[in-house]
Amino acid sequence: LAGDIFDSERIAIGDIRFFMDVVRSIKPIPVLFLPGTWTHDSIFQKAIFRSHQFLDGKPENLYVFTKEAPETFKVTSGELAIHGRAILPDTDNPLDGIGPDPNVPFNVGLLHTGVALPQIPQEATSCALKRDHLEGCGLDYLALGHWHSFRRYFEDAKTVVQYSGSPESLSFGDDSGYI
């Protein structure tokens, strides 16, 4: 889950419980959660995943990426490693420091960021994904969150880069229904 699980920084306890129950219901399948816009407040440390409502009910099969440095979660079969970072780096490359595990056959990246597109002006401090960031990154798949429509980018790249989209429409014109 590449961010924006909740659509506000003020989340009802019932919504947190519902989320936890859904995650718990698919145990032992691991669920990886990367905080997004509404669930990560690194300045004031008010992030939902640090709250007692979240921590008290956290299922065993839920892994939360919480660090500024890259983290890796390995599936118990040893066939898959998922690499992510809760806070984007202070560089223009969101993949800085994220690389494949050579001991597993399949490596997935998980990020909450935008994609740099020619028609969208980028701020100098923006940490958006660019085509050249993928060269040599060694990932097989890069799952992105932040934009709410199902879409694949950089189709000619060796790494598959895709937004999963939102399971529910957030505005008119959104392409929804994907996970």
Side-chain angles (χ1 to χ4, degrees):
L1 304 171
D4 292 347
I5 300 304
F6 305 103
D7 63 356
S8 167
E9 58 190 24
R10 301 182 77 156
I11 304 159
I13 293 172
D15 291 340
I16 295 170
R17 286 186 188 131
F18 176 77
F19 172 73
M20 297 299 189
D21 289 344
V22 169
V23 170
R24 195 174 290 107
S25 75
I26 62 169
K27 188 179 172 185
I29 297 170
V31 175
L32 286 74
F33 172 51
L34 184 99
T37 307
W38 301 111
T39 51
H40 195 284
D41 183 347
S42 60
I43 296 171
F44 299 108
Q45 304 297 307
K46 293 181 182 177
I48 186 62
F49 65 84
R50 289 189 183 102
S51 72
H52 72 87
Q53 292 94 343
F54 192 90
L55 293 173
D56 292 348
K58 185 176 163 287
E60 293 174 18
N61 60 322
L62 179 62
Y63 180 85
V64 182
F65 289 91
T66 60
K67 298 178 183 161
E68 188 170 344
E71 299 175 65
T72 297
F73 176 90
K74 286 187 184 180
V75 176
T76 54
S77 70
E79 299 291 314
L80 171 66
I82 301 171
H83 315 276
R85 160 193 293 121
I87 302 171
L88 295 174
D90 290 332
T91 67
D92 73 336
N93 183 350
L95 289 172
D96 270 354
I98 293 178
D101 181 334
N103 298 316
V104 300
F106 198 67
N107 285 275
V108 171
L110 185 63
L111 288 176
H112 186 84
T113 189
V115 171
L117 300 172
Q119 65 270 31
I120 301 174
Q122 296 293 310
E123 297 178 18
T125 58
S126 177
C127 190
L129 185 69
K130 298 177 179 118
R131 171 75 170 83
D132 62 323
H133 296 155
L134 298 171
E135 298 302 322
C137 77
L139 298 173
D140 300 291
Y141 183 84
L142 181 56
L144 297 177
H146 186 52
W147 294 352
H148 301 141
S149 294
F150 174 77
R151 179 105 190 251
R152 182 171 176 186
Y153 287 91
F154 313 117
E155 292 194 25
D156 61 333
K158 187 176 178 181
T159 302
V160 175
V161 177
Q162 191 142 333
Y163 285 95
S164 64
S166 174
E168 187 172 72
S169 292
L170 299 175
S171 64
F172 291 109
D174 272 356
D175 187 17
S176 66
Y178 302 95
I179 296 183

